[in-house]
């Protein structure tokens, strides 16, 4: 096949399926609106949702168009090494969040991740994190919007700016109406719609290339070669498709970037905070880890199929960029009807991703910036109204940042750079502060600030050609590692020079100070052995190791 035009040949049935989906999404938003009486209902679903709902929403919030378009692009560009983003770069951190960190988040009754930093350190650290998180969310929302625009451009031939604005309006409608509950229940629906759209692409694609063995033979004959079929071989040096050493993969991606994203990114943690009790909150990210183990089947494998079936894929601009791997496969492989389901799945993935960004932004803006520093002690309905205004603001700014994302031929490279700048220093500050009670408030602020400056500086020097890395992703790995190291060094230097908080002020916030009750709100059913967060987490980690064996 060649690139050709990206326009998809949709018929009336495809459009009917798409329209039905939009009606359902808005219906869910209106249904959720009836349960919103307070700001906690709007921002945290009244802390009332069961673990299976929050678990599916947790993985769906991450399964945005960014994930699907971006990981398929990485599958085509880097081959099987893309699996590291799931089995090293996600599952261990998700299990750690559920077992180790959620007791502190949920038990302290904080409404957001920045609010935890205010309690653990001080208000300057809180404000710094709140602002950096808000900036990160609107930048990432722009990436999701741009990914949607690519699909709408392919689907309808619309100009980029029209597709961006229409897509933004749909998300704005159901979050403004239904708050976090509207977002979460739609994310559960979207999880299944996304799979229904991607499974046919994978199955028909595999049939076309002669099954798994046919795909492996074709990849060996492609520009990736045999290296495209192995996850760990040749990682003793940087002579591999990803251009990364195993140390960068394990420490940069598997520890700093991964733990930074999954354990401190409020857009994800917010789903667990909305769970009905401590047990459900702890199980939320662990339940999400199980589908996360298998998502590569519908992202990485289609990327490999696109690599071997779409001639010329990998151009720096135009229809044959890696970003278009999934839309090109949909165009070439799917019959009408199925095409409608697939396009609906892609649009659903965009909405899930952007909704997570926007609902995270409106909560942090309202609670951690507006209420904390601009207008204190106002009635609750005032903050509910501010939250709705913040939702509109986030979407409008996201429209602008979508055009920044348009400047990157592989949006996953761009997003990893954002994570290394915003998440890595935050994770370093968090994890040291959570386990080292001696760490002081002043050390917390300067660690977070200096780590962020180092991450930004590393990225800018790389873009300017002053320092060299083998790929954009290797820069992200090392930028994240350097940021984390800076946080640790600054904390170690400043802490002995400044006065720590009293133990009683750190109860429920730091290991070893007490104050965390894991069983106080446990329901009768939560005591069942198969609901143990520790057991579920260990099984998920074991499966991640086992899945690596065939592709080592």
């Amino acid at each position: 096949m060649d690139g050709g035009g990206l326009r998809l040949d949709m018929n009336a049935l495809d459009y009917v399926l798409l329209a039905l989906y939009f009606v359902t999404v808005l219906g869910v938003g209106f249904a959720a609106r009836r349960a919103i009486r307070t700001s906690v209902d709007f921002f945290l679903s009244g802390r009332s949702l069961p673990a299976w709902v929050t678990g599916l929403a947790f993985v769906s919030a991450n399964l945005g168009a960014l994930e699907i378009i971006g990981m398929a692009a990485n599958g085509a560009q880097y081959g099987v090494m893309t699996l590291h983003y799931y089995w090293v770069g996600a599952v261990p951190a998700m299990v750690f969040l559920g077992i180790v960190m959620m007791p502190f988040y949920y038990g302290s009754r904080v409404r957001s991740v920045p609010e935890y930093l205010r309690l653990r350190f001080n208000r300057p650290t809180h404000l710094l994190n709140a602002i950096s998180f808000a900036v990160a969310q609107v930048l990432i929302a722009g990436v999701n919007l741009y990914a949607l625009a690519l699909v709408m451009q392919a689907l309808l031939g619309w100009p980029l700016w029209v597709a961006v604005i229409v897509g933004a309006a749909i998300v704005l409608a159901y979050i403004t109406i239904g708050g976090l509950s509207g977002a979460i229940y739609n994310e559960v629906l979207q999880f299944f719609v996304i799979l229904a759209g991607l499974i046919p692409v994978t199955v028909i694609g595999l049939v076309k290339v002669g099954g798994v063995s046919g795909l492996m033979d074709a990849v060996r004959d492609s520009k990736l070669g045999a290296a495209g079929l192995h996850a760990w071989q040749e990682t003793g040096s940087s002579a591999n498709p990803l251009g990364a050493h195993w140390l960068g993969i394990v420490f940069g991606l598997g520890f700093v970037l991964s733990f930074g994203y999954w354990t401190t990114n409020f857009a994800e943690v917010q789903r667990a905070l909305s769970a009905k009790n401590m047990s459900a909150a702890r199980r939320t990210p662990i339940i999400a880890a199980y589908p996360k183990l298998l998502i590569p089947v519908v992202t990485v494998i289609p990327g490999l199929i696109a690599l071997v079936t779409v001639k010329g894929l990998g151009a720096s601009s135009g229809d044959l960029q890696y970003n278009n791997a999934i839309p090109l496969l949909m165009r070439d492989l799917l019959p009408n009807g199925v095409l409608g389901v697939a396009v609906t799945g892609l649009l659903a993935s965009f909405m899930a991703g952007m909704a997570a960004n926007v609902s995270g932004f409106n909560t942090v803006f309202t609670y951690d910036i507006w209420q904390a520093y601009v207008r204190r002690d106002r009635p609750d309905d005032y903050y509910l109204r501010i939250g709705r205004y913040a939702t509109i603001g986030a979407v409008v700014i996201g429209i602008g940042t979508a055009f920044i994302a348009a400047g990157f031929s592989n949006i996953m490279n761009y997003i990893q750079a954002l994570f290394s700048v915003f998440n890595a220093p935050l994770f370093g500050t968090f994890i040291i502060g959570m386990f080292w009670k001696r760490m002081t408030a002043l050390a917390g602020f300067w660690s977070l600030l200096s780590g962020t400056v180092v991450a930004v500086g590393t990225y800018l020097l790389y873009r300017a050609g002053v320092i060299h890395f083998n790929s954009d992703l290797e820069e992200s790995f090392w930028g994240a590692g350097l940021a984390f190291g800076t946080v640790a060094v600054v904390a170690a230097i400043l802490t002995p020079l400044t006065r720590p908080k009293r133990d009683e002020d750190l109860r429920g916030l730091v290991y070893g100070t007490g104050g965390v009750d894991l069983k106080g709100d446990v329901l009768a059913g939560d005591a069942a052995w198969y609901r143990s967060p520790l057991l579920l987490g260990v099984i998920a980690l074991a499966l991640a190791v086992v899945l690596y064996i065939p592709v080592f």
Side-chain angles (χ1 to χ4, degrees):
M1 306 170 190
D2 58 32
L6 248 179
R7 183 74 180 268
L8 304 178
D9 187 19
M10 301 272 284
N11 67 10
L13 174 60
D14 297 318
Y15 285 109
V16 167
L17 290 169
L18 204 53
L20 278 174
Y21 173 70
F22 287 139
V23 170
T24 305
V25 162
L26 293 174
V28 168
F30 278 107
R33 184 187 180 99
R34 291 183 298 179
I36 296 175
R37 295 180 185 86
T38 68
S39 64
V40 173
D41 292 335
F42 184 78
F43 295 119
L44 291 173
S45 301
R47 299 186 192 264
S48 62
L49 301 179
W52 73 269
V53 170
T54 54
L56 286 179
F58 191 98
V59 72
S60 185
N62 175 252
L63 196 59
L66 163 66
E67 169 87 358
I68 290 165
I69 301 265
M71 285 303 179
N74 277 1
Q77 187 170 355
Y78 305 118
V80 166
M81 293 189 80
T82 306
L83 294 171
H84 294 313
Y85 285 96
Y86 297 89
W87 301 341
V88 166
V91 171
M94 295 163 82
V95 171
F96 184 84
L97 171 64
I99 293 174
V100 178
M101 293 183 74
M102 277 317 300
F104 293 98
Y105 284 142
Y106 198 86
S108 63
R109 307 301 285 178
V110 295
R111 299 167 299 182
S112 70
V113 168
E115 189 171 25
Y116 174 90
L117 285 183
R118 178 176 63 79
L119 297 176
R120 173 60 185 89
F121 295 116
N122 56 15
R123 288 171 67 83
T125 313
H126 170 240
L127 181 61
L128 174 61
N129 179 223
I131 291 171
S132 68
F133 175 82
V135 171
Q137 291 316 293
V138 292
L139 286 171
I140 297 168
V143 180
N144 272 304
L145 254 182
Y146 172 62
L148 169 84
L150 286 177
V151 177
M152 298 292 275
Q153 217 173 10
L155 162 64
L156 301 170
W158 289 2
L160 188 70
W161 68 271
V162 174
V164 164
I165 291 171
V166 170
I170 296 164
V171 172
L172 178 62
Y174 80 73
I175 298 186
T176 308
I177 294 165
L180 184 64
S181 291
I184 282 180
Y185 280 111
N186 266 316
E187 282 160 6
V188 173
L189 166 67
Q190 286 156 348
F191 176 76
F192 294 106
V193 172
I194 290 163
L195 291 184
L198 291 179
I199 288 171
V201 175
T202 306
V203 172
I204 296 171
L206 280 173
V207 170
K208 189 172 187 69
V209 297
V212 173
S213 61
L215 177 61
M216 291 171 69
D217 290 340
V219 171
R220 283 191 196 94
D221 294 334
S222 72
K223 58 186 173 185
L224 273 181
L229 296 173
H230 298 288
W232 291 104
Q233 288 186 19
E234 306 301 330
T235 56
S237 68
S238 297
N240 56 67
L242 200 57
H245 191 277
W246 68 266
L247 193 61
I249 295 169
V250 172
F251 181 68
L253 172 63
F255 180 56
V256 181
L257 277 175
S258 168
F259 278 66
Y261 175 80
W262 291 104
T263 67
T264 63
N265 180 11
F266 181 56
E268 295 290 340
V269 174
Q270 187 178 26
R271 273 85 195 126
L273 287 179
S274 66
K276 64 184 179 182
N277 64 2
M278 175 70 82
S279 175
R282 294 181 76 200
R283 280 182 281 128
T284 293
I286 300 171
I287 288 170
Y290 284 85
K292 188 69 176 174
L293 285 164
L294 300 175
I295 295 296
V297 173
V298 292
T299 56
V300 180
I301 289 178
L304 290 172
I305 293 168
L307 170 72
V308 301
T309 60
V310 179
K311 290 178 184 170
L313 186 69
S316 58
S317 61
D319 290 341
L320 289 171
Q321 292 177 69
Y322 286 119
N323 284 336
N324 289 329
I326 288 277
L328 286 165
L329 285 184
M330 285 164 46
R331 178 202 70 182
D332 293 335
L333 299 177
L334 300 184
N336 290 113
V338 179
L339 182 60
V341 173
V343 170
T344 302
L346 269 186
L347 298 189
S349 73
F350 146 76
M351 290 180 179
M354 187 171 180
N357 303 137
V358 172
S359 57
F361 174 90
N362 65 23
T363 305
V364 167
F365 179 83
T366 303
Y367 283 149
D368 296 293
I369 296 175
W370 197 262
Q371 185 181 38
Y373 299 98
V374 182
R375 290 282 186 274
R376 298 186 200 177
D377 304 321
R378 294 298 177 96
D380 189 70
D381 62 347
Y382 170 81
Y383 296 113
L384 182 57
R385 194 163 63 250
I386 291 296
R388 290 200 159 105
Y389 293 152
T391 303
I392 297 168
V395 172
V396 170
I397 297 168
I399 290 171
T401 59
F403 293 96
I404 298 175
F408 291 79
S409 64
N410 184 330
I411 51 177
M412 210 61 195
N413 290 348
Y414 172 50
I415 205 74
Q416 293 300 325
L418 292 179
F419 289 159
S420 73
V421 167
F422 291 106
N423 288 14
L426 174 60
F427 170 63
T429 307
F430 245 91
I431 205 70
I432 297 170
M434 192 174 274
F435 287 92
W436 188 26
K437 68 180 182 180
R438 177 73 179 79
M439 186 176 177
T440 62
L442 199 68
F445 174 78
W446 286 107
S447 293
L448 180 59
L449 181 61
S450 58
T452 304
V453 168
V454 166
V456 171
T458 303
Y459 178 73
L460 293 177
L461 289 171
Y462 167 66
R463 299 294 291 184
V466 176
I467 54 178
H468 174 73
F469 294 100
N470 288 303
S471 67
D472 291 351
L473 292 178
E474 192 187 26
E475 185 283 322
S476 297
F477 297 165
W478 284 103
L482 289 169
F484 184 90
T486 302
V487 167
V489 169
V490 172
I493 292 171
L494 289 183
T495 290
L497 304 177
T498 48
R499 179 175 296 181
K501 286 189 169 186
R502 299 174 305 169
D503 280 12
E504 52 265 40
D505 294 332
L506 298 175
R507 276 178 62 81
L509 300 169
V510 181
Y511 259 83
T513 58
V516 174
D517 183 4
L518 295 179
K519 298 187 176 173
D521 61 357
V522 168
L523 304 175
D526 293 330
W529 65 270
Y530 55 83
R531 289 189 175 179
S532 161
L534 185 60
L535 176 66
L536 291 170
V538 168
I539 294 171
L541 292 174
L543 287 173
V545 173
V546 168
L547 286 169
Y548 261 128
I549 293 171
V551 294
F552 187 86

